[in-house]
Short mmCIF file of all heavy atoms in Angstrom, two decimals:
data_model
loop_
_atom_site.label_atom_id
_atom_site.label_comp_id
_atom_site.label_asym_id
_atom_site.label_seq_id
_atom_site.Cartn_x
_atom_site.Cartn_y
_atom_site.Cartn_z
N CYS A 350 -11.17 -14.84 23.53
CA CYS A 350 -11.21 -16.24 23.94
C CYS A 350 -9.80 -16.82 23.88
O CYS A 350 -9.13 -16.73 22.85
CB CYS A 350 -12.15 -17.02 23.02
SG CYS A 350 -12.34 -18.75 23.47
N GLY A 351 -9.34 -17.38 24.98
CA GLY A 351 -7.98 -17.90 25.06
C GLY A 351 -6.99 -16.90 25.63
O GLY A 351 -5.78 -17.15 25.63
N PHE A 352 -7.49 -15.78 26.16
CA PHE A 352 -6.62 -14.74 26.72
C PHE A 352 -5.74 -15.30 27.84
O PHE A 352 -6.17 -16.11 28.66
CB PHE A 352 -7.48 -13.60 27.28
CG PHE A 352 -6.71 -12.61 28.11
CD1 PHE A 352 -6.01 -11.57 27.52
CD2 PHE A 352 -6.66 -12.72 29.50
CE1 PHE A 352 -5.29 -10.67 28.28
CE2 PHE A 352 -5.95 -11.82 30.28
CZ PHE A 352 -5.27 -10.79 29.66
N SER A 353 -4.49 -14.82 27.87
CA SER A 353 -3.55 -15.17 28.94
C SER A 353 -2.79 -13.92 29.35
O SER A 353 -2.23 -13.22 28.50
CB SER A 353 -2.58 -16.25 28.44
OG SER A 353 -1.64 -16.58 29.45
N SER A 354 -2.76 -13.62 30.65
CA SER A 354 -2.14 -12.39 31.14
C SER A 354 -0.63 -12.36 30.90
O SER A 354 0.05 -13.39 31.01
CB SER A 354 -2.38 -12.24 32.64
OG SER A 354 -3.75 -12.08 32.92
N TYR A 355 -0.11 -11.16 30.58
CA TYR A 355 1.32 -10.97 30.41
C TYR A 355 1.63 -9.47 30.50
O TYR A 355 0.89 -8.65 29.96
CB TYR A 355 1.78 -11.50 29.03
CG TYR A 355 3.27 -11.45 28.86
CD1 TYR A 355 4.06 -12.52 29.26
CD2 TYR A 355 3.90 -10.32 28.33
CE1 TYR A 355 5.45 -12.47 29.13
CE2 TYR A 355 5.28 -10.27 28.20
CZ TYR A 355 6.05 -11.33 28.60
OH TYR A 355 7.41 -11.28 28.48
N PRO A 356 2.72 -9.05 31.14
CA PRO A 356 3.68 -9.88 31.87
C PRO A 356 3.27 -10.15 33.32
O PRO A 356 3.96 -10.87 34.02
CB PRO A 356 4.95 -9.03 31.81
CG PRO A 356 4.45 -7.63 31.84
CD PRO A 356 3.18 -7.64 31.05
N TYR A 357 2.17 -9.52 33.75
CA TYR A 357 1.67 -9.82 35.09
C TYR A 357 0.15 -9.86 35.04
O TYR A 357 -0.48 -9.39 34.09
CB TYR A 357 2.16 -8.80 36.13
CG TYR A 357 1.83 -7.35 35.82
CD1 TYR A 357 0.66 -6.75 36.30
CD2 TYR A 357 2.70 -6.57 35.06
CE1 TYR A 357 0.37 -5.42 36.03
CE2 TYR A 357 2.42 -5.25 34.78
CZ TYR A 357 1.26 -4.68 35.27
OH TYR A 357 0.96 -3.36 34.99
N PHE A 358 -0.44 -10.45 36.05
CA PHE A 358 -1.86 -10.80 36.02
C PHE A 358 -2.76 -9.61 35.73
O PHE A 358 -3.69 -9.69 34.94
CB PHE A 358 -2.26 -11.43 37.37
CG PHE A 358 -3.70 -11.86 37.41
CD1 PHE A 358 -4.09 -13.08 36.87
CD2 PHE A 358 -4.67 -11.05 38.00
CE1 PHE A 358 -5.43 -13.47 36.91
CE2 PHE A 358 -6.00 -11.44 38.04
CZ PHE A 358 -6.37 -12.65 37.49
N GLY A 359 -2.47 -8.47 36.34
CA GLY A 359 -3.39 -7.35 36.24
C GLY A 359 -3.13 -6.37 35.12
O GLY A 359 -3.83 -5.36 35.01
N TYR A 360 -2.15 -6.64 34.25
CA TYR A 360 -1.79 -5.64 33.23
C TYR A 360 -3.01 -5.24 32.39
O TYR A 360 -3.28 -4.06 32.22
CB TYR A 360 -0.68 -6.17 32.32
CG TYR A 360 -0.34 -5.20 31.22
CD1 TYR A 360 0.29 -4.00 31.51
CD2 TYR A 360 -0.67 -5.47 29.89
CE1 TYR A 360 0.58 -3.08 30.51
CE2 TYR A 360 -0.37 -4.56 28.88
CZ TYR A 360 0.24 -3.37 29.20
OH TYR A 360 0.53 -2.46 28.21
N SER A 361 -3.74 -6.20 31.89
CA SER A 361 -4.98 -5.91 31.16
C SER A 361 -6.21 -6.41 31.93
O SER A 361 -7.25 -5.76 31.95
CB SER A 361 -4.97 -6.58 29.78
OG SER A 361 -3.97 -6.07 28.95
N ARG A 362 -6.07 -7.57 32.56
CA ARG A 362 -7.23 -8.24 33.16
C ARG A 362 -7.93 -7.38 34.20
O ARG A 362 -9.14 -7.45 34.37
CB ARG A 362 -6.78 -9.56 33.79
CG ARG A 362 -7.93 -10.46 34.20
CD ARG A 362 -7.42 -11.69 34.93
NE ARG A 362 -6.61 -12.55 34.09
CZ ARG A 362 -7.08 -13.56 33.37
NH1 ARG A 362 -8.37 -13.83 33.41
NH2 ARG A 362 -6.27 -14.30 32.64
N ALA A 363 -7.18 -6.53 34.88
CA ALA A 363 -7.79 -5.68 35.91
C ALA A 363 -8.83 -4.73 35.34
O ALA A 363 -9.69 -4.23 36.07
CB ALA A 363 -6.70 -4.87 36.62
N TYR A 364 -8.79 -4.51 34.02
CA TYR A 364 -9.72 -3.58 33.38
C TYR A 364 -10.83 -4.29 32.62
O TYR A 364 -11.63 -3.66 31.94
CB TYR A 364 -8.94 -2.65 32.44
CG TYR A 364 -7.85 -1.90 33.17
CD1 TYR A 364 -6.54 -2.38 33.18
CD2 TYR A 364 -8.14 -0.75 33.91
CE1 TYR A 364 -5.54 -1.72 33.88
CE2 TYR A 364 -7.15 -0.08 34.61
CZ TYR A 364 -5.86 -0.57 34.59
OH TYR A 364 -4.87 0.09 35.30
N PHE A 365 -10.89 -5.62 32.74
CA PHE A 365 -11.99 -6.38 32.15
C PHE A 365 -13.19 -6.32 33.11
O PHE A 365 -13.62 -7.33 33.67
CB PHE A 365 -11.60 -7.83 31.90
CG PHE A 365 -10.47 -8.03 30.94
CD1 PHE A 365 -9.80 -9.25 30.89
CD2 PHE A 365 -10.07 -7.03 30.06
CE1 PHE A 365 -8.75 -9.45 29.99
CE2 PHE A 365 -9.02 -7.23 29.16
CZ PHE A 365 -8.36 -8.44 29.13
N ASP A 366 -13.72 -5.13 33.33
CA ASP A 366 -14.71 -4.93 34.38
C ASP A 366 -16.04 -4.36 33.87
O ASP A 366 -16.86 -3.91 34.66
CB ASP A 366 -14.13 -3.97 35.44
CG ASP A 366 -13.64 -2.67 34.83
OD1 ASP A 366 -13.83 -2.44 33.62
OD2 ASP A 366 -13.04 -1.86 35.58
N ASN A 367 -16.23 -4.38 32.55
CA ASN A 367 -17.44 -3.80 31.95
C ASN A 367 -17.61 -2.33 32.31
O ASN A 367 -18.73 -1.82 32.38
CB ASN A 367 -18.69 -4.59 32.35
CG ASN A 367 -18.76 -5.94 31.65
OD1 ASN A 367 -18.37 -6.07 30.49
ND2 ASN A 367 -19.26 -6.94 32.35
N GLN A 368 -16.49 -1.67 32.54
CA GLN A 368 -16.53 -0.24 32.84
C GLN A 368 -15.61 0.57 31.93
O GLN A 368 -15.50 1.78 32.07
CB GLN A 368 -16.14 0.01 34.30
CG GLN A 368 -17.13 -0.56 35.31
CD GLN A 368 -16.74 -0.21 36.73
OE1 GLN A 368 -16.27 0.90 37.00
NE2 GLN A 368 -16.94 -1.14 37.65
N HIS A 369 -14.94 -0.10 30.99
CA HIS A 369 -14.01 0.57 30.09
C HIS A 369 -14.38 0.26 28.64
O HIS A 369 -14.56 -0.91 28.28
CB HIS A 369 -12.57 0.12 30.35
CG HIS A 369 -12.04 0.53 31.68
ND1 HIS A 369 -12.37 -0.13 32.85
CD2 HIS A 369 -11.19 1.54 32.03
CE1 HIS A 369 -11.74 0.46 33.86
NE2 HIS A 369 -11.03 1.47 33.40
N ARG A 370 -14.47 1.30 27.82
CA ARG A 370 -14.73 1.13 26.39
C ARG A 370 -13.39 1.09 25.63
O ARG A 370 -12.42 1.74 26.01
CB ARG A 370 -15.57 2.28 25.84
CG ARG A 370 -16.97 2.38 26.46
CD ARG A 370 -17.92 1.35 25.89
NE ARG A 370 -19.29 1.58 26.39
CZ ARG A 370 -20.34 0.86 26.03
NH1 ARG A 370 -20.19 -0.13 25.16
NH2 ARG A 370 -21.53 1.13 26.53
N VAL A 371 -13.39 0.33 24.54
CA VAL A 371 -12.19 0.19 23.73
C VAL A 371 -12.04 1.37 22.78
O VAL A 371 -13.02 1.85 22.20
CB VAL A 371 -12.24 -1.11 22.91
CG1 VAL A 371 -11.05 -1.20 21.96
CG2 VAL A 371 -12.27 -2.32 23.83
N LEU A 372 -10.81 1.84 22.64
CA LEU A 372 -10.45 2.84 21.64
C LEU A 372 -9.42 2.24 20.71
O LEU A 372 -8.61 1.40 21.11
CB LEU A 372 -9.89 4.11 22.29
CG LEU A 372 -10.80 4.83 23.27
CD1 LEU A 372 -10.49 4.40 24.70
CD2 LEU A 372 -10.65 6.34 23.14
N ARG A 373 -9.44 2.69 19.46
CA ARG A 373 -8.54 2.14 18.46
C ARG A 373 -7.84 3.24 17.67
O ARG A 373 -8.31 4.37 17.59
CB ARG A 373 -9.32 1.24 17.48
CG ARG A 373 -9.86 -0.05 18.08
CD ARG A 373 -8.75 -0.94 18.61
NE ARG A 373 -9.18 -2.30 18.79
CZ ARG A 373 -8.88 -3.31 17.95
NH1 ARG A 373 -8.15 -3.07 16.88
NH2 ARG A 373 -9.32 -4.52 18.19
#
Side-chain angles (χ1 to χ4, degrees):
C350 182
F352 169 84
S353 178
S354 295
Y355 186 89
Y357 56 92
F358 182 82
Y360 177 69
S361 296
R362 191 185 295 268
Y364 303 96
F365 298 164
D366 54 6
N367 287 324
Q368 294 184 38
H369 294 78
R370 297 283 186 178
V371 175
L372 301 96
R373 292 299 198 103

